[in-house]
Amino acid sequence: MEGGGGTPREILEESQSGCSLPTGLGANGLKKSSWGFFLTGIVGGTLVAVYAVATPFLTPALRKICLPFVPATTKQIANVVKMLHCRRGSLVDIGSGDGRVVIAAAKEGFTAVGYELNPWLVWYSRYRAWQEGVQDSAKFYISDLWKVTFSQYTNVVVFGVPQMVIPADRFEAYCEKHVSQQN
């Protein structure tokens, strides 16, 4: 397009030769398809990330006995700390969730350990312990509470939900079933 007007040279040459490129193969067509791949990648990556984060929180609802994550309230934490004032030794929180009890106990001078099945909550708990400056006395582990021995701990904290309570008349049968499964 020299001299200020008219048809660009490329279009004139194309129309004179009788050949033309398909519109999808031009430079604009390549840019459009690249955006499509880019958007598909962004949407796909986002869905995978949401699935990875949400799965540990949703799968407990699919178990035979549903044990949801319910954060301890400030009052509950204060009650635990109050009960620990006249105690010594190590502390374990079974189903530690976001680590509030373990961190509070560590701040009171206890060596505290939390066991939690949800890896995201364990990683968050470790981060919070580091943030609070108690990472040396507060430890968190990803584990099923039925596969851990708690005999080395002096103080045991469990915040239960009604689904965790076994009626006394079924407790013996429950214990026999779990002992036979371990053997």
Side-chain angles (χ1 to χ4, degrees):
M1 199 160 119
E2 296 173 355
T7 309
R9 185 185 317 164
E10 295 86 21
I11 292 177
L12 284 174
E13 289 174 3
E14 183 179 301
S15 62
Q16 290 171 355
S17 67
C19 296
S20 63
L21 291 171
T23 56
L25 294 179
N28 289 339
L30 285 176
K31 286 182 183 177
K32 285 180 185 176
S33 69
S34 295
W35 277 109
F37 285 127
F38 178 72
L39 285 174
T40 302
I42 293 294
V43 170
T46 302
L47 290 174
V48 168
V50 167
Y51 176 78
V53 170
T55 298
F57 292 95
L58 298 177
T59 53
L62 303 175
R63 294 189 188 125
K64 185 176 180 182
I65 298 175
C66 177
L67 301 174
F69 164 61
V70 180
T73 65
T74 305
K75 185 174 181 176
Q76 290 170 326
I77 301 296
N79 287 338
V80 170
V81 170
K82 184 178 176 182
M83 294 300 294
L84 292 173
H85 277 300
C86 59
R87 305 203 43 112
R88 294 182 186 193
S90 58
L91 176 132
V92 63
D93 184 9
I94 302 171
S96 60
D98 62 359
R100 296 175 190 205
V101 172
V102 174
I103 292 169
K107 284 181 175 180
E108 294 295 318
F110 286 84
T111 299
V113 176
Y115 289 95
E116 173 61 47
L117 195 55
N118 185 329
W120 294 105
L121 289 173
V122 171
W123 296 326
Y124 178 73
S125 299
R126 290 174 181 163
Y127 169 73
R128 291 280 297 136
W130 172 79
Q131 197 176 36
E132 297 286 334
V134 294
Q135 69 273 12
D136 293 332
S137 56
K139 301 292 181 194
F140 297 93
Y141 300 102
I142 302 168
S143 183
D144 185 345
L145 69 97
W146 300 111
K147 298 178 181 174
V148 179
T149 303
F150 301 110
S151 60
Q152 70 268 26
Y153 300 105
T154 311
N155 303 287
V156 179
V157 176
V158 180
F159 279 101
V161 292
Q163 295 91 331
M164 290 179 67
V165 179
I166 301 167
D169 60 332
R170 295 190 316 180
F171 184 72
E172 190 174 322
Y174 178 82
C175 289
E176 288 174 6
K177 177 183 173 185
H178 276 75
V179 169
S180 66
Q181 286 179 352
Q182 291 177 354
N183 294 334

